[in-house]
Amino acid sequence: MTDLEQMGKRAVEAKYLVQAMSAQEKDQVLLKAVELLLDQAEQEQILAANSEDVERAKANGMHPGLIDRLSLDGKRLEAMAEGLRQITELPDPIGEVLEEFVPKNGLHIAKVRVPIGVIGIIYESRPNVTADAFGLCFKAGNAVILKGGSDALHSNMAITKLLRKALASCGMAEDAIQLIQATERAVTTEFMRLNKYVDLLIPRGGAGLIRSVVENSTIPVIETGTGNCHIYIDKTADLTMAVNIVTNAKTQRIGVCNACESLVIHENVADQFLPLLEKRLREVHEVEIRGDETVCSILKEAVPATEEDYSREYLDYILSAKVVSGIDEAIAHINRCSTGHSEAIITSDQENAEKFKRQIDSACVYVNASTRFTDGFEFGFGAEIGISTQKLHARGPMGLRELTSYKYAIDGNGQVR
C-alpha cells in the first residue's frame, strides 16, 4: 500500500468519526482553531513559514498577482480565524430533513442531508484555503485530504499542524485533515485516482490545474473555474457609480478570480465613460486597457485588443474593453467569452437589469454592484471551498450545504413487496 493509499485509509477511518460528531463537538474544534490562529506565538510560526515561501517565490520570478495570493500577514490570519468563527455560527446542515412523504405503500420516506465523506482538494498559491477547506468540510461532517502547491508548502504545513493541534486538544481524530507534502507531479496524478478512498475532488486554481484534474481524475470532480468576469456599462448607467464599481472590481485585488477582467460599454456612453475611468484608474494604479477600434480612438494610450484578450483571465493590471450597440450584443459577447463565474451590469433601466440577470449564463449575476462580492464570506457562508462554475450539484460560492449529499431514510411497519 502506497503512502497516499495509507492517507486515504486513515481519511476513511476519520470520516466515520467526524460523521458521528455533534454540531457542538465540531464547533468546539473550530473555536479552538480560531483561538490558535489568533495566538501570537502560533501566528509567528505561520508567518515565518509563509515568509520562506514568499521569498522563494520572488526568487523564482513568480507573478506579483500570484505572490499576493500566496502572502499572509496578521490581518489575513485574523480573516482566516473570522471565517472559521463564522462557520461555527452557521446551522449544522447534517441531519436536515429536505423533504418527507408517504407513498401508497405506507412507507414513511425522508430525504436527509448527510456528509459526502472524504473530500480531496488540490489548490495553488493560497494558504488561506487550507483553513477554509478544513472548516467547511469538517462542519459538514467530512474528512479532507489537501494537496497544495509546492510554492505554499511551508505555509500549508504550518496551518495544517495548527488545525491538527486543535483537533487533538479536543480529543478528536487528527486525520480529519491531512496534507500531502510530496511535490512530485506523479503524486498529484496518483491522488486524482484515489477513488477507492476519496468521494469528491475539488481543484482550486488556474485553468491548467482545473483542466488537468478534469482530464485525469477517476474521482468525481467539481470545477471551481477561472474568472474572466465582465462588467457591462449600459446606456442609462450612473457613470460615477460605474467608475467606482469598475475601479474596485479591477484594482482592489488583482490576483483573485472575482476581479473584473473585461469591460463592455454601450456606444452611447463610451465617449464620456472611458476618459472618466482612465482618469480614476491612473489615480489608483496604472491599468493597461486593451480595446477594440472604438476604445482605441477614445483612449490614445489604449492597446489594440486581440480576440484572445476578450477571453483571458489576466490576474494583472490589464483590462480588456469592447464597445457594443446595446444590451443584446453585450449579453452575446459576455456569454461567448465568459468563464461562467461573475458578471455585472451597471444600469438605471430595470427592464435591462432583469434581462441581463435572466440571460447571462454565469454562476453570479450582479446589478449595480462589484463582482468582488462573489465570495463565501461575503455571502454569509463563513468561508468558501471555491466558486463552482459548473451546473451539476453545486454552483457559485460553495458553502456547507454544497459539501453534503443526501440519503433516504425509510420507516415501515412490516411492508413487503
Side-chain angles (χ1 to χ4, degrees):
M1 184 175 285
T2 67
D3 290 344
L4 271 184
E5 289 176 315
Q6 290 282 3
M7 291 182 75
K9 183 180 178 181
R10 293 196 300 270
V12 170
E13 292 170 354
K15 83 174 181 181
Y16 291 117
L17 298 175
V18 176
Q19 288 174 7
M21 293 171 66
S22 67
Q24 291 75 21
E25 288 173 324
K26 290 184 286 188
D27 287 345
Q28 179 188 2
V29 172
L30 294 176
L31 289 172
K32 183 62 179 180
V34 169
E35 177 187 327
L36 293 174
L37 277 169
L38 297 177
D39 180 81
Q40 185 175 350
E42 296 286 351
Q43 285 193 356
E44 288 175 356
Q45 292 185 42
I46 294 173
L47 294 178
N50 181 249
S51 178
E52 187 176 346
D53 289 333
V54 170
E55 289 304 313
R56 187 175 65 251
K58 289 179 178 177
N60 291 337
M62 179 182 282
H63 188 280
L66 296 179
I67 289 177
D68 176 59
R69 286 183 172 186
L70 173 61
S71 300
L72 293 174
D73 55 24
K75 287 186 177 180
R76 288 188 179 180
L77 290 179
E78 290 172 8
M80 287 165 55
E82 176 62 15
L84 292 179
R85 189 194 64 76
Q86 285 198 9
I87 292 172
T88 68
E89 296 181 347
L90 297 172
D92 189 335
I94 302 307
E96 176 188 357
V97 178
L98 302 174
E99 59 178 303
E100 50 189 332
F101 51 95
V102 179
K104 291 180 179 179
N105 55 33
L107 294 171
H108 179 271
I109 302 175
K111 186 178 182 180
V112 183
R113 195 181 296 279
V114 298
I116 287 174
V118 177
I119 297 177
I121 302 174
I122 302 177
Y123 56 108
E124 299 172 333
S125 302
R126 290 188 180 187
N128 65 293
V129 173
T130 305
D132 292 349
F134 168 72
L136 287 167
C137 289
F138 183 73
K139 176 85 178 207
N142 304 291
V144 64
I145 299 176
L146 304 176
K147 175 67 177 71
S150 59
D151 47 11
L153 178 60
H154 296 92
S155 306
N156 293 335
M157 288 171 60
I159 296 169
T160 300
K161 181 180 178 182
L162 179 145
L163 296 171
R164 289 174 67 91
K165 183 176 180 179
L167 285 158
S169 68
C170 296
M172 307 302 177
E174 292 183 48
D175 286 333
I177 178 173
Q178 297 181 77
L179 176 72
I180 299 171
Q181 298 181 20
T183 58
E184 296 84 359
R185 187 179 298 271
V187 174
T188 304
T189 301
E190 183 185 352
F191 182 36
M192 296 179 198
R193 296 172 183 170
L194 218 61
N195 57 302
K196 181 178 179 181
Y197 306 100
V198 180
D199 299 290
L200 175 68
L201 191 58
I202 303 173
R204 183 170 177 177
L209 168 66
I210 294 166
R211 183 171 56 253
S212 175
V213 173
V214 170
E215 292 175 354
N216 291 288
S217 178
T218 59
I219 305 167
V221 174
I222 290 181
E223 298 180 46
T224 56
T226 53
N228 178 28
C229 302
H230 295 73
I231 297 179
Y232 168 53
I233 315 302
D234 197 19
K235 65 180 179 180
T236 62
D238 178 323
L239 297 188
T240 300
M241 177 195 291
V243 168
N244 289 338
I245 288 174
V246 174
T247 302
N248 170 262
K250 179 68 251 183
T251 67
Q252 189 208 27
R253 213 174 154 195
I254 60 169
V256 290
C257 60
N258 57 18
C260 175
E261 303 285 25
S262 299
L263 194 59
V264 186
I265 312 105
H266 193 287
E267 61 185 6
N268 287 13
V269 297
D271 283 335
Q272 186 179 357
F273 172 74
L274 284 168
L276 291 174
L277 178 65
E278 182 181 54
K279 181 176 183 294
R280 174 66 65 81
L281 291 177
R282 282 177 177 168
E283 295 170 356
V284 178
H285 195 288
E286 195 69 34
V287 175
E288 177 183 304
I289 296 178
R290 299 182 182 178
D292 60 13
E293 189 173 324
T294 305
V295 172
C296 290
S297 70
I298 297 170
L299 303 178
K300 301 307 178 186
E301 294 186 12
V303 176
T306 65
E307 194 59 37
E308 290 74 24
D309 278 311
Y310 294 120
S311 300
R312 285 186 61 183
E313 181 187 37
Y314 292 110
L315 302 176
D316 202 348
Y317 291 104
I318 304 173
L319 182 65
S320 71
K322 182 178 182 63
V323 174
V324 295
S325 59
I327 189 168
D328 291 327
E329 186 181 353
I331 290 172
H333 171 77
I334 292 170
N335 281 339
R336 183 173 64 253
C337 299
S338 170
T339 55
H341 193 294
S342 301
E343 327 297 343
I345 181 174
I346 315 302
T347 187
S348 299
D349 185 325
Q350 189 60 34
E351 185 177 336
N352 278 358
E354 293 303 320
K355 184 174 188 176
F356 192 85
K357 286 190 291 183
R358 186 173 61 252
Q359 295 187 14
I360 288 293
D361 189 19
S362 293
C364 297
V365 185
Y366 294 87
V367 175
N368 297 329
S370 172
T371 57
R372 287 284 287 118
F373 285 103
T374 301
D375 178 86
F377 188 88
E378 294 291 341
F379 275 34
F381 297 168
E384 70 181 34
I385 211 74
I387 309 294
S388 172
T389 55
Q390 65 182 44
K391 299 180 183 179
L392 295 179
H393 173 64
R395 196 179 194 192
M398 294 178 60
L400 290 176
R401 287 180 174 82
E402 287 71 34
L403 296 173
T404 65
S405 182
Y406 59 82
K407 67 182 178 185
Y408 290 97
I410 302 101
D411 289 308
N413 55 4
Q415 286 94 333
V416 295
R417 181 176 177 181

XYZ file of all heavy atoms in Angstrom, residues 37 91 108 120-121 127 151 210 232 239 273 311 334 349:
113
model
N -5.250 30.411 15.907
C -4.893 31.320 14.816
C -4.674 32.748 15.312
O -3.959 33.526 14.671
C -5.991 31.320 13.747
C -5.937 30.185 12.727
C -7.224 30.145 11.908
C -4.729 30.330 11.803
N -25.918 27.140 10.948
C -26.597 25.892 11.335
C -25.875 24.677 10.753
O -25.409 24.709 9.613
C -27.990 26.046 10.719
C -28.153 27.509 10.460
C -26.789 28.030 10.163
N -42.891 5.553 5.315
C -42.559 6.959 5.580
C -41.138 7.197 5.081
O -40.186 6.590 5.587
C -42.640 7.274 7.077
C -42.283 8.706 7.386
N -40.990 9.098 7.637
C -43.047 9.821 7.458
C -40.962 10.403 7.862
N -42.210 10.864 7.760
N -11.225 15.531 -1.365
C -9.868 15.910 -1.730
C -9.878 17.272 -2.399
O -10.771 17.578 -3.193
N -8.909 18.104 -2.057
C -8.827 19.440 -2.645
C -7.398 19.686 -3.121
O -6.438 19.506 -2.369
C -9.240 20.529 -1.636
C -10.664 20.259 -1.139
C -9.151 21.921 -2.272
C -11.116 21.183 -0.047
N -2.589 29.791 0.776
C -2.574 29.056 2.046
C -3.828 29.246 2.879
O -4.147 28.387 3.712
C -1.329 29.616 2.761
C -0.968 30.868 2.047
C -1.453 30.717 0.644
N 4.686 25.907 -4.039
C 5.112 27.251 -3.668
C 4.577 27.684 -2.309
O 5.096 28.613 -1.705
C 4.691 28.276 -4.741
C 3.250 28.110 -5.181
O 2.514 27.352 -4.518
O 2.853 28.735 -6.176
N -7.135 23.043 -13.294
C -8.504 22.529 -13.371
C -8.659 21.574 -14.544
O -9.258 20.496 -14.420
C -9.490 23.701 -13.476
C -9.457 24.514 -12.172
C -10.902 23.210 -13.768
C -10.122 25.854 -12.263
N -20.737 45.282 -17.651
C -21.337 45.975 -18.792
C -21.875 47.324 -18.328
O -22.686 47.409 -17.400
C -22.464 45.132 -19.385
C -23.330 45.879 -20.372
C -22.759 46.549 -21.457
C -24.720 45.915 -20.230
C -23.552 47.250 -22.367
C -25.520 46.591 -21.132
C -24.925 47.273 -22.198
O -25.702 47.968 -23.089
N -22.685 57.064 -14.325
C -21.279 56.890 -14.685
C -20.336 57.018 -13.490
O -19.279 56.383 -13.462
C -20.896 57.882 -15.785
C -21.655 57.704 -17.108
C -21.067 58.613 -18.188
C -21.656 56.251 -17.576
N -17.678 57.893 -20.643
C -17.273 56.988 -19.563
C -15.790 56.637 -19.587
O -15.121 56.659 -18.543
C -18.108 55.706 -19.615
C -17.617 54.646 -18.660
C -17.842 54.777 -17.294
C -16.913 53.535 -19.124
C -17.373 53.814 -16.406
C -16.455 52.566 -18.244
C -16.686 52.708 -16.885
N -11.165 36.827 -23.789
C -11.455 35.585 -23.063
C -10.407 35.271 -21.997
O -10.398 34.176 -21.443
C -11.540 34.407 -24.050
O -12.559 34.615 -25.001
N -20.629 38.568 -23.778
C -20.262 38.048 -22.463
C -20.452 36.535 -22.411
O -19.568 35.802 -21.944
C -21.073 38.749 -21.363
C -20.652 40.223 -21.260
C -20.885 38.053 -20.016
C -21.549 41.059 -20.370
N -31.945 51.109 -15.937
C -33.078 50.552 -16.677
C -33.442 49.198 -16.064
O -32.717 48.219 -16.242
C -32.694 50.408 -18.155
C -33.846 49.961 -19.036
O -34.673 49.158 -18.570
O -33.905 50.389 -20.197
